[in-house]
Amino acid sequence: MQKNKIKKFAFLAFSIFCLGFSLYAQAHISTQAHSGTVSNVAYLEDSDGSVFSSGNDGFLIKWTEDGMGEHYQISDLPIKMIARSPNGYEIAVYESDGASLNRVSVWNWKTFTRKFAFRFTDSLTSLAYSAKGTYIICGTASVSGAFFLNPQNGSIIKNKIKGNTGVVNYIQTSSSEKSMVTYSPKGTITYYTLQNGEQKAKINTEYDLTQFCMFNNSVFCAGVRSNALYIIQAVNGSTIASYNVNNPILIGSNSVKDLYYITNENRQFKIFKVANDRNKAVIAPELQRTFSGLKNGESVVCASLAGEEIYAGTNLGNIYKFDYAKSERVDVQQSLTEKMYDKIYDVAVVGNDFYFLTPTSLFLSSYESANVDRKAGNSGYTNLIPYGDNIILWSKDSKKSVVLLELGSGRISQLFAPEGTVQILKLYENSLIDVESNSSVNIFDIQTLKKRQLYKGTSIQDALLYNENDLYVAKSSGSSPNVPLLYVNVNTQETVPLTMKGNVAYSLAYDYTRANSEIYGITIYTNTSTKRLTTSVFAYKPQTKSSRYLLSITDEDSEAFTSLSNTMLFTNIGKSQIRSYNFSSRRDFLYRRSASMPIKTVANQNKVVVLNRDGSISWYNPSQNSVLADWYLTVDGSWFEF
């Protein structure tokens, strides 16, 4: 047994009030890197000197001058763009799934609360606050182009300009907010008077420029096309210089006279300056600094000036901070960030103990002891199911064999090799129920090692064996039969569509220890009155063939879950927090969230463990909504507490 003393670190705590609940949010402070590509870094002039970074992991991180980061996850989607409010503490965020979901939200960093969210039907091409923060201006990939949002409530401010901007990928207002300039990839720079909405001037310039930016008090602008850097006179649109540059990352600011850019070269990155006067570019790009220290395959993908320094983000999630004063030497640059934590893939409860699965290990631990008792290695599995004194290992969305790990001997034996990718695997007595490739529901007898198909269909999302004869299948209503929930008689193969509204149902659960337990799950449907998507937790009673809705939100939450433990129903509907309902006391409870968003809940009689999206866990007493502790597993195999 390996026993590791738990390490502790302070956290930031903020009390907030929302929707009638006294909520609580906390950022964790560390130098942990983003998980995946950094999408933006954003600095605000005349602010506290901090820089925000965002990533495909849905996290915002506020980097302070001491090099520490305040981490808080606002989305389960990639963050594509961010814009900081002139008030210094609010930030606008564009998140998207790359398809139909395109959402702009505004967050208060003091309280970690979302002021509002607005969904667009088209993807965004730009996002900016006006100079005084009166508007949030969103460029869209539609003929309508830019929309003006009220930063207080997210309502559209109409008729700010006459006509449509069309598709623009850069928007900036003057410091007085009396005028606005846009750039269109069609090759035009357009100036507007915001006092009356009139177009002042439309100037032809270079087309299809990316990374468009303005600098030197908006006298010049720059952009990239086909590995060529163009410097443009903003007033008349003329190209005053162009240079061949391989994949530059542009860094321009109205507060700085010159343009800077970064290039990546085999574990190094270089900073160049294009100096200019008020009339023309006076010199070709000049090398300022060369830094080494990038990891294999790492490259800078975004950067921002922050006073006398540059903050840069990479494709591996790291943040670098450095000055751009000229130097001929090659400096070894260490990132602000590092991989501090091991990610916990899955968690399960056995008595008073909890099993945790990481990329390399299966271990046992508890809140009381904080010991890390390594039970076995892990060869690429992502999920676990306790089975008596043993563990079943499997991998979601994979064809990897399902295996039985005997904890006493460490022996691993194959149970079955799935024919399709496994979406769902559940234990029913001595059998496993699995959903493969969204098209079949199967049962595997662990003792006889025999597998057979219970149901075959299309768009299957989940399945639940209520007893030896009754199978319930959650599916999309877009496939035949056009209902979200089916009953299947396992013996006769009779299939009965059940009366329930919904476009899709998923995450089925029931309490096999309670007689005549209801079946719980999630359904998404279109509200007939508002025409908006609604996500609900439902309860279906097999004995009366009736259903009811326990909790609803006016939004689409395709990853919401339900789970049961003892007399408690848990759900993360709404994505950001865990709710529970106690069947005995009939009490609805909202747990205060940690820095990361919850994705799973397990509980015993004394503790609730929430697995968070970033691989951390949060501990709760079942009857108290405050977080007892947030634990991260360090790369050296010990708990780290915030």
Side-chain angles (χ1 to χ4, degrees):
M1 176 185 294
Q2 178 186 2
K3 295 185 178 180
N4 294 297
K5 188 76 173 179
I6 192 166
K7 304 173 185 177
K8 294 189 177 182
F9 198 90
F11 59 76
L12 291 184
F14 300 86
S15 295
I16 62 177
F17 186 82
C18 180
L19 300 175
F21 294 95
S22 178
L23 304 182
Y24 178 102
Q26 64 187 47
H28 80 257
I29 303 177
S30 74
T31 56
Q32 175 75 0
H34 283 280
S35 174
T37 299
V38 180
S39 56
N40 298 265
V41 285
Y43 175 71
L44 183 66
E45 297 288 343
D46 302 323
S47 66
D48 58 3
S50 64
V51 172
F52 277 84
S53 66
S54 63
N56 289 345
D57 56 4
F59 269 86
L60 287 176
I61 306 176
K62 180 183 179 181
W63 299 99
T64 52
E65 292 181 329
D66 61 2
M68 298 300 291
E70 300 173 11
H71 299 61
Y72 192 75
Q73 187 177 27
I74 65 162
S75 178
D76 59 343
L77 299 174
I79 298 173
K80 302 294 188 181
M81 303 176 193
I82 58 176
R84 295 187 63 176
S85 168
N87 67 23
Y89 59 87
E90 290 182 345
I91 185 165
V93 175
Y94 167 50
E95 52 189 300
S96 174
D97 62 358
S100 60
L101 204 161
N102 298 283
R103 180 168 55 213
V104 171
S105 56
V106 170
W107 291 78
N108 184 318
W109 196 256
K110 290 181 178 179
T111 60
F112 296 111
T113 54
R114 190 174 77 175
K115 289 182 67 176
F116 64 82
F118 186 93
R119 287 186 66 167
F120 287 89
T121 56
D122 299 282
S123 59
L124 262 63
T125 55
S126 62
L127 178 68
Y129 273 91
S130 58
K132 295 181 178 181
T134 307
Y135 322 108
I136 300 172
I137 311 173
C138 307
T140 65
S142 69
V143 293
S144 298
F147 289 83
F148 290 73
L149 299 184
N150 184 326
Q152 302 307 315
N153 55 27
S155 61
I156 293 179
I157 301 173
K158 297 181 178 180
N159 303 320
K160 280 307 301 177
I161 59 172
K162 295 179 180 178
N164 298 321
T165 65
V167 177
V168 291
N169 59 14
Y170 182 84
I171 300 172
Q172 178 185 295
T173 70
S174 63
S175 58
S176 65
E177 296 187 344
K178 293 181 179 179
S179 63
M180 180 181 79
V181 60
T182 67
Y183 169 76
S184 167
K186 290 183 176 180
T188 56
I189 298 173
T190 306
Y191 292 88
Y192 297 89
T193 300
L194 293 181
Q195 291 173 307
N196 57 20
E198 297 284 352
Q199 184 183 112
K200 291 199 299 183
K202 190 172 186 177
I203 303 163
N204 291 326
T205 189
E206 298 288 343
Y207 66 93
D208 281 347
L209 295 181
T210 61
Q211 300 187 61
F212 191 91
C213 61
M214 303 189 87
F215 59 100
N216 198 355
N217 200 28
S218 299
V219 174
F220 296 99
C221 47
V224 177
R225 184 181 72 238
S226 301
N227 284 333
L229 168 63
Y230 293 87
I231 310 297
I232 298 167
Q233 173 61 252
V235 176
N236 56 32
S238 62
T239 301
I240 58 177
S242 63
Y243 310 102
N244 291 326
V245 183
N246 187 29
N247 297 320
I249 304 300
L250 300 193
I251 316 170
S253 171
N254 278 330
S255 63
V256 177
K257 182 173 73 70
D258 304 312
L259 175 73
Y260 294 86
Y261 66 86
I262 293 175
T263 60
N264 296 283
E265 300 180 19
N266 190 26
R267 299 188 67 178
Q268 290 185 341
F269 61 94
K270 297 182 177 181
I271 307 165
F272 292 84
K273 178 176 76 172
V274 180
N276 66 90
D277 61 19
R278 302 287 284 188
N279 299 306
K280 62 180 181 179
V282 293
I283 60 171
E286 179 183 10
L287 177 63
Q288 298 295 106
R289 300 287 297 272
T290 299
F291 291 103
S292 64
L294 294 179
K295 297 178 175 63
N296 283 326
E298 185 173 26
S299 59
V300 173
V301 294
C302 57
S304 176
L305 289 169
E308 300 300 318
E309 295 175 310
I310 291 175
Y311 281 74
T314 75
N315 61 325
L316 298 185
N318 288 313
I319 301 293
Y320 288 84
K321 174 186 175 183
F322 46 87
D323 67 69
Y324 49 94
K326 187 173 182 180
S327 174
E328 294 183 359
R329 68 178 184 271
V330 177
D331 294 311
V332 178
Q333 182 67 25
Q334 299 293 325
S335 65
L336 288 179
T337 48
E338 59 183 325
K339 187 180 186 303
M340 300 175 63
Y341 313 122
D342 211 355
K343 185 171 184 175
I344 297 173
Y345 283 161
D346 201 3
V347 57
V349 62
V350 179
N352 290 322
D353 295 317
F354 294 86
Y355 283 103
F356 299 91
L357 187 67
T358 74
T360 59
S361 302
L362 171 73
F363 66 93
L364 195 67
S365 190
S366 68
Y367 181 77
E368 289 73 20
S369 70
N371 293 334
V372 177
D373 183 3
R374 189 177 186 273
K375 293 296 186 181
N378 178 25
S379 57
Y381 289 95
T382 62
N383 299 84
L384 74 157
I385 299 173
Y387 177 59
D389 295 329
N390 304 314
I391 294 291
I392 295 169
L393 297 173
W394 65 286
S395 291
K396 186 176 177 62
D397 299 325
S398 167
K399 291 185 178 181
K400 192 175 178 67
S401 295
V402 178
V403 300
L404 179 70
L405 169 63
E406 298 177 20
L407 292 175
S409 64
R411 179 174 174 267
I412 293 179
S413 57
Q414 177 176 304
L415 294 177
F416 69 92
E419 297 178 12
T421 56
V422 179
Q423 275 79 48
I424 303 293
L425 189 68
K426 297 177 178 179
L427 183 67
Y428 174 77
E429 296 182 348
N430 290 311
S431 297
L432 291 170
I433 309 300
D434 85 321
V435 176
E436 296 182 20
S437 301
N438 298 112
S439 61
S440 65
V441 181
N442 311 291
I443 184 169
F444 176 82
D445 190 307
I446 299 173
Q447 296 177 332
T448 65
L449 302 182
K450 292 182 178 180
K451 181 182 177 185
R452 63 188 175 96
Q453 189 176 90
L454 298 180
Y455 175 77
K456 186 173 182 62
T458 57
S459 302
I460 301 172
Q461 304 298 316
D462 199 358
L464 182 150
L465 193 60
Y466 192 78
N467 53 46
E468 292 183 356
N469 189 55
D470 298 331
L471 175 72
Y472 290 86
V473 177
K475 57 183 285 294
S476 166
S477 62
S479 60
S480 181
N482 304 118
V483 294
L485 192 63
L486 293 175
Y487 164 78
V488 179
N489 186 302
V490 172
N491 293 325
T492 66
Q493 292 297 297
E494 176 190 11
T495 300
V496 180
L498 301 179
T499 302
M500 178 184 292
K501 64 182 178 181
N503 305 329
V504 65
Y506 51 97
S507 191
L508 302 181
Y510 86 113
D511 185 356
Y512 65 90
T513 65
R514 289 195 302 135
N516 300 324
S517 170
E518 291 180 295
I519 296 171
Y520 303 94
I522 305 290
T523 183
I524 299 175
Y525 58 91
T526 303
N527 190 297
T528 55
S529 58
T530 65
K531 306 300 181 184
R532 297 180 63 183
L533 289 175
T534 297
T535 304
S536 294
V537 178
F538 70 83
Y540 179 81
K541 195 170 185 62
Q543 293 73 28
T544 60
K545 298 180 174 58
S546 60
S547 60
R548 59 195 178 99
Y549 296 96
L550 307 180
L551 179 67
S552 299
I553 60 167
T554 307
D555 199 357
E556 180 181 3
D557 187 356
S558 59
E559 296 190 12
F561 70 78
T562 61
S563 66
L564 293 164
S565 180
N566 303 317
T567 60
M568 308 279 282
L569 169 68
F570 296 95
T571 181
N572 68 337
I573 186 172
K575 300 181 181 180
S576 64
Q577 290 178 274
I578 295 293
R579 290 177 179 269
S580 70
Y581 180 78
N582 190 309
F583 298 113
S584 299
S585 64
R586 300 185 181 275
R587 186 183 182 193
D588 186 14
F589 212 65
L590 182 67
Y591 293 91
R592 298 163 178 169
R593 64 163 285 186
S594 65
S596 184
M597 301 173 79
I599 58 173
K600 184 176 182 178
T601 302
V602 295
N604 59 17
Q605 294 289 344
N606 303 313
K607 293 291 184 296
V608 175
V609 171
V610 173
L611 176 62
N612 299 311
R613 191 170 293 275
D614 65 351
S616 66
I617 61 168
S618 300
W619 293 95
Y620 298 84
N621 279 327
S623 60
Q624 298 176 359
N625 64 352
S626 59
V627 183
L628 290 175
D630 290 323
W631 285 10
Y632 291 76
L633 188 70
T634 65
V635 292
D636 63 0
S638 59
W639 288 119
F640 198 89
E641 179 179 333
F642 283 92

